[in-house]
Amino acid sequence: VQLQASGGGLVQAGASLRLSCAASGRTSSGYAVGWFRQAPGKEREFVAAISWSGGTVYIDSSVKGRFTISRDNAKNTVYLEMNSLQPDDTAVYYCAANSSPLLSPSKRNRESPTRYEYWGQGTQVTVSS
């Protein structure tokens, strides 16, 4: 599976952005997708994840209520809708896929970058105050 993230940009605090993660390659077998972000000098952190069916979704508490994750399997695309953006949201955002269509019931596993096998190149989100 190859992933390409897009939709980042420079916005002011309070604005919204929608990131897209387009998949290609062996997508027919189903895959769960996670979004991660990495700010300068910080570790990569979990943001959100969605199962293949879209029926299971996890959102990190730091963005819950502002970010939503969804997918359109007909388009092989996963979206991260980000509202009320704040300067602390500034980071490179990455999407990643797991060869399993399901998300791990273990919070530690589904939020660990090492559990995702395929990664996109990242898209920069910069929020100015």
Side-chain angles (χ1 to χ4, degrees), residues 20-34:
S20 298
C21 177
S24 60
R26 298 184 64 181
T27 59
S28 60
S29 58
Y31 52 96
V33 171

Side-chain angles (χ1 to χ4, degrees), residues 4 18 33 56 99 102 106-107:
Q4 184 167 2
R18 187 176 78 161
V33 171
T56 303
S99 58
L102 304 176
S106 163
K107 182 177 189 297

Side-chain angles (χ1 to χ4, degrees), residues 3-9 17-23 35 76-82 92-95 120-125:
L3 303 173
Q4 184 167 2
S6 62
L17 279 175
R18 187 176 78 161
L19 304 184
S20 298
C21 177
W35 281 97
N76 288 326
T77 302
V78 174
Y79 304 99
L80 184 68
E81 188 78 36
M82 306 185 296
V92 177
Y93 284 72
Y94 298 90
C95 60
Q121 83 288 3
T123 184
Q124 176 71 47
V125 173

Side-chain angles (χ1 to χ4, degrees), residues 28-82:
S28 60
S29 58
Y31 52 96
V33 171
W35 281 97
F36 293 78
R37 64 185 182 184
Q38 189 165 18
K42 294 187 177 180
E43 292 188 352
R44 193 165 297 189
E45 64 178 11
F46 172 81
V47 177
I50 187 168
S51 63
W52 167 251
S53 70
T56 303
V57 170
Y58 294 100
I59 307 288
D60 186 73
S61 58
S62 65
V63 301
K64 203 165 190 176
R66 298 189 298 122
F67 290 14
T68 58
I69 187 171
S70 61
R71 68 190 302 159
D72 183 343
N73 288 341
K75 297 181 179 179
N76 288 326
T77 302
V78 174
Y79 304 99
L80 184 68
E81 188 78 36
M82 306 185 296

